[in-house]
Amino acid sequence: MSSTATDVVRLLTVKGETLAVAESLTGGLVAADITSVPGASKVFRGSVTAYATELKQELLGVDATLLAARGAVDPQVAAQMAAGVRKALGADWGIATTGVAGPDPQDGQAVGTVFVAVDGPFAPDSGSAGGGKVEGLRLNGDRAEIRRESVRSVLALLLTELAGEQTGNERAQDTERNGGF
């Protein structure tokens, strides 16, 4: 269990919100990291590991034309995966990973090309276009390192959004409840 996953579960619990995960290259590692945190069952709705491209369309509602034109490793695909899993599993927040862990390039994308996305109940002034945010990554390392960093990156992106959504008073109350300063 990572400290980021622990922080994500803690903030979701404080806010009374839920999370769903859509994964491709990470193959369930994001869901495993979240569910390793005690109390995750209060906030974690579930996950879809859509490794095959057609499952991204069939299960997550990713646009078939987009997939045909650009392939599965694309920022818009990541955004649609996050929005799709959020809707499909009835969660407040959806996160997604798609990319190339290797050993070979895919869809014309180099090994280490990864897109992570978050979709949630963003405030009007959050700067998020269409309710979601996507981050493009160029990762180095072997397959395991790329997958591990993808997990870390998507959880960090979600944590940033969760922390940004929380007011100062909520942070103070959470700190007091958890014995912090």
Side-chain angles (χ1 to χ4, degrees):
M1 131 184 61
S2 71
S3 62
T4 307
T6 301
D7 290 344
V8 162
V9 169
R10 180 182 53 79
L11 280 176
L12 285 168
T13 301
V14 166
K15 294 166 67 82
E17 295 177 341
T18 57
L19 173 66
V21 177
E23 300 186 65
S24 186
L25 85 148
T26 50
L29 294 174
V30 176
D33 202 20
I34 292 164
T35 59
S36 70
V37 178
S41 61
K42 294 176 188 158
V43 299
F44 187 65
R45 296 279 302 150
S47 65
V48 174
T49 301
Y51 213 65
T53 299
E54 68 271 12
L55 293 180
K56 291 169 182 63
Q57 189 265 320
E58 293 169 9
L59 298 176
L60 300 171
V62 176
D63 182 67
T65 306
L66 173 64
L67 288 167
R70 297 198 191 153
V73 183
D74 181 81
Q76 285 183 285
V77 170
Q80 289 184 19
M81 287 173 65
V85 79
R86 178 181 176 213
K87 181 179 177 185
L89 300 186
D92 297 300
W93 294 88
I95 59 176
T97 63
T98 187
V100 186
D104 301 314
Q106 176 188 337
D107 296 333
Q109 299 286 350
V111 172
T113 303
V114 174
F115 297 97
V116 296
V118 59
D119 188 81
F122 294 101
D125 61 351
S126 70
S128 296
K133 288 192 176 183
V134 179
E135 188 174 288
L137 309 170
R138 291 289 308 155
L139 304 176
N140 296 311
D142 64 19
R143 183 175 173 80
E145 291 168 322
I146 290 168
R147 293 173 72 203
R148 239 186 340 267
E149 183 58 23
S150 298
V151 171
R152 190 207 64 74
S153 295
V154 76
L155 290 176
L157 182 61
L158 175 60
L159 186 59
T160 298
E161 295 306 314
L162 287 170
E165 294 270 309
Q166 205 175 23
T167 67
N169 187 44
E170 287 170 321
R171 281 194 199 106
Q173 289 172 358
D174 177 55
T175 301
E176 289 171 13
R177 271 190 232 120
N178 288 301
F181 297 94

